[in-house]
Amino acid sequence: MSQPIDLEYRYMAMQDVGAVAELERLAFTTPWPHDAFVNELTRNPNARYVVVAHQNRIIAYCGMWIVIDEAHITNIAVHPLYRGKKVGLALMIKMMGVAKMHGAHSMTLEVRPSNTVARNMYIKLGFKEHGRRKGYYSDNNEDAIIMWVTL
């Protein structure tokens, strides 16, 4: 399916936290709580979050921490009704641009080995596997694949 043409990309604001927390609950078995997003926006100077809105409804978001010259993706989620429309791919491309704009030269993330859709998207963006974190995910003790890309 093709990407919706009327998408708005913008930095996440406090008024978006409720919608982002709800999207997080739809996307993950161990979602971040509402307060974690509040803390990211108010207390973490390294955090950058971007939301994607379609018809004034948040349908995706991505967060990252930029530390010196590295960007670490903390989370990315796309509403189930919008998956398969390349929204996640477009959002990751935006995040890579934001990271470069803030001085990052490389980007890293962790992904579940079982999440082949996400892994294939990251590979398409140039990410390469550089190790594993054993038992990283607390819900099922699944490992995490560590991936890196040069920006």
Side-chain angles (χ1 to χ4, degrees), residues 42-60:
T42 60
R43 296 183 182 190
N44 185 349
N46 298 319
R48 303 289 181 275
Y49 282 77
V50 172
V51 296
V52 182
H54 176 62
Q55 297 178 344
N56 295 319
R57 177 180 177 207
I58 293 175
I59 62 162

Side-chain angles (χ1 to χ4, degrees), residues 1-150:
M1 300 176 97
S2 63
Q3 179 181 351
I5 55 173
D6 57 343
L7 296 180
E8 174 194 1
Y9 297 83
R10 60 180 168 76
Y11 285 109
M12 186 172 136
M14 286 302 292
Q15 67 264 21
D16 301 323
V17 170
V20 166
E22 177 59 27
L23 182 55
E24 178 86 353
R25 284 189 293 277
L26 288 172
F28 300 112
T29 56
T30 53
W32 281 20
H34 182 277
D35 289 347
F37 293 104
V38 171
N39 287 335
E40 287 290 278
L41 292 179
T42 60
R43 296 183 182 190
N44 185 349
N46 298 319
R48 303 289 181 275
Y49 282 77
V50 172
V51 296
V52 182
H54 176 62
Q55 297 178 344
N56 295 319
R57 177 180 177 207
I58 293 175
I59 62 162
Y61 80 95
C62 185
M64 71 180 157
W65 298 336
I66 301 173
V67 180
I68 307 174
D69 63 350
E70 295 177 355
H72 184 132
I73 297 294
T74 56
N75 38 22
I76 180 170
V78 177
H79 191 284
L81 295 176
Y82 291 87
R83 292 180 187 157
K85 299 175 187 276
K86 304 203 183 306
V87 173
L89 180 67
L91 180 53
M92 280 298 298
I93 291 168
K94 293 276 186 195
M95 294 304 285
M96 292 167 88
V98 169
K100 284 196 278 191
M101 186 177 69
H102 287 280
H105 299 294
S106 59
M107 179 177 275
T108 188
L109 54 81
E110 292 90 7
V111 62
R112 292 174 186 263
S114 63
N115 192 346
T116 55
V117 171
R119 286 176 48 213
N120 288 336
M121 177 183 71
Y122 300 139
I123 290 166
K124 182 184 278 189
L125 291 167
F127 282 82
K128 304 257 189 275
E129 294 185 18
H130 285 278
R132 285 188 178 236
R133 298 191 196 286
K134 297 289 182 193
Y136 183 79
Y137 294 100
S138 61
D139 61 333
N140 65 358
N141 210 37
E142 187 173 5
D143 293 351
I145 295 172
I146 304 164
M147 300 184 84
W148 283 89
V149 68
T150 300

